């Protein structure tokens, strides 16, 4: 089943002759259950692509569909509902509310959606166990580590059972150990629950957890790699080789 569909997608900033075209006619399909990484040199358009696909930013022309819903045809309230029910978001800066406990942060989307208490509690307990944060539910964001904050953010993103999770450099602020723990948790959830994920990253190690990696260059999809039956180490090396061809430092944002 197709979760994300983009056709002839363009995005420009500025007006008329002074406009800068960032995305240049991208065609893209993401199937249910895929874990897709988006990579490319600085300025290639990878974050812009993620932002227009998840409706954080508008696109200039083309078509974007999320789970069969055409973004351009939706009114403001319909788009808000789509974001709330079909999409989850994990970003580099966590976006947790400091005045709420870990548990309250995770349950917030369900509270907004007026989900029954018993169902909300059951979903929360299942997720925190899968993400290994069941022991910090009563703590506040300023009392936990960066890795724990990001896993809390992941639980909050997953609690509504969205069709797709969008991640923008979710491991960017984490040390290597915390990043690996988060990625292993996300990878397990992707495989066990068939959760669809799209993640922008500059890090080849993070990308090696994906099932497919798209490489952008100058606003277009330059190439893509499929993990297939390769080990994560083998896939990592393929990603590094492609980055070398594209240019730029392997850890360039």
């Amino acid at each position: 089943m197709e979760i994300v569909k983009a056709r002839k997608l363009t995005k420009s900033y500025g007006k008329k002759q002074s406009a800068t075209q960032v995305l240049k006619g991208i065609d893209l399909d993401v199937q249910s259950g895929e874990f897709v990484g988006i990579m490319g040199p600085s300025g290639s358009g990878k974050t812009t692509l993620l932002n227009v696909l998840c409706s954080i930013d508008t696109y200039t022309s083309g078509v974007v569909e999320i789970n069969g819903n055409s973004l351009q045809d939706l009114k403001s309230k319909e788009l808000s509902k789509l974001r709330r029910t079909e999409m989850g978001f994990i970003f580099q800066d966590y976006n947790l509310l400091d005045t709420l406990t870990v548990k309250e942060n995770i349950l917030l989307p369900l509270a907004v959606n007026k989900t029954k208490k018993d169902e909300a509690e059951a979903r929360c307990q299942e997720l925190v166990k899968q993400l290994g944060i069941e022991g910090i539910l009563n703590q506040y964001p300023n009392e936990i580590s960066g890795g724990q904050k990001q896993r809390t953010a992941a639980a909050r993103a997953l609690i509504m059972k969205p069709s797709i999770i969008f991640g923008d450099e979710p491991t960017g602020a984490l040390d290597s150990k915390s990043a690996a723990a988060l990625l292993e948790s996300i990878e397990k959830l992707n495989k066990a629950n068939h959760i669809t994920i799209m993640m922008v990253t500059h890090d080849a190690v993070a990308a090696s957890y994906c099932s497919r990696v798209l490489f952008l260059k100058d606003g277009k999809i330059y190439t893509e790699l499929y993990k297939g039956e390769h080990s994560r180490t083998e896939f990592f090396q393929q990603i590094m080789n492609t980055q070398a061809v594209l240019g730029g430092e392997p850890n360039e944002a």
Side-chain angles (χ1 to χ4, degrees):
M1 181 181 174
E2 209 168 56
I3 297 296
V4 178
K5 177 181 177 181
R7 293 292 180 270
K8 298 180 180 179
L9 183 62
T10 72
K11 173 64 180 179
S12 298
Y13 293 98
K15 296 181 179 180
K16 297 183 180 179
Q17 285 144 351
S18 62
T20 300
Q21 193 173 26
V22 181
L23 302 179
K24 304 173 182 178
I26 286 179
D27 291 331
L28 172 66
D29 295 292
V30 177
Q31 302 299 319
S32 176
E34 278 199 280
F35 187 175
V36 179
I38 304 172
M39 304 190 77
S42 181
S44 62
K46 54 187 184 293
T47 295
T48 300
L49 175 60
L50 191 83
N51 286 346
V52 299
L53 291 177
C54 70
S55 76
I56 286 176
D57 199 358
T58 57
Y59 47 96
T60 304
S61 65
V63 174
V64 176
E65 293 181 5
I66 302 294
N67 209 14
N69 298 280
S70 176
L71 297 189
Q72 64 189 14
D73 296 335
L74 297 178
K75 296 176 182 178
S76 179
K77 286 185 178 179
E78 294 172 328
L79 191 56
S80 294
K81 183 181 179 182
L82 185 74
R83 288 195 200 102
R84 194 170 66 247
T85 59
E86 299 286 342
M87 305 180 196
F89 306 91
I90 309 174
F91 298 111
Q92 185 174 337
D93 57 0
Y94 318 127
N95 288 338
L96 299 177
L97 297 178
D98 291 334
T99 55
L100 299 182
T101 65
V102 165
K103 185 176 182 179
E104 289 167 343
N105 267 285
I106 294 168
L107 289 173
L108 187 59
L110 295 184
V112 171
N113 209 47
K114 298 180 180 179
T115 303
K116 291 181 179 179
K117 187 176 180 180
D118 288 349
E119 182 183 350
E121 185 69 27
R123 286 197 202 179
C124 181
Q125 290 303 320
E126 180 184 3
L127 273 175
V128 299
K129 187 175 181 180
Q130 289 175 311
L131 287 163
I133 53 172
E134 61 266 49
I136 60 167
L137 292 181
N138 295 321
Q139 293 179 256
Y140 289 86
N142 65 353
E143 299 173 330
I144 61 178
S145 70
Q148 290 170 326
K149 287 179 184 178
Q150 198 58 293
R151 279 182 278 169
T152 299
R156 183 187 56 192
L158 290 159
I159 196 80
M160 283 292 292
K161 297 184 177 180
S163 297
I164 184 167
I165 297 291
F166 292 99
D168 189 5
E169 301 281 6
T171 62
L174 304 180
D175 59 65
S176 58
K177 184 178 179 181
S178 297
L182 175 68
L183 289 163
E184 285 166 9
S185 297
I186 291 175
E187 184 183 38
K188 286 177 183 176
L189 286 164
N190 166 251
K191 291 178 178 177
N193 300 352
H194 210 63
I195 295 167
T196 308
I197 303 166
M198 289 193 77
M199 174 181 74
V200 165
T201 183
H202 66 272
D203 184 2
V205 174
S208 69
Y209 285 85
C210 299
S211 56
R212 174 165 59 121
V213 179
L214 303 173
F215 292 88
L216 267 60
K217 184 178 182 181
D218 299 327
K220 297 180 179 180
I221 295 177
Y222 173 79
T223 190
E224 59 184 331
L225 295 176
Y226 285 85
K227 188 173 187 178
E229 299 301 318
H230 292 290
S231 68
R232 195 163 63 78
T233 301
E234 290 169 336
F235 196 40
F236 167 78
Q237 193 57 58
Q238 289 183 332
I239 293 165
M240 290 291 288
N241 292 342
T242 303
Q243 280 188 311
V245 172
L246 275 172
E249 293 297 322
N251 289 326
E252 185 182 40

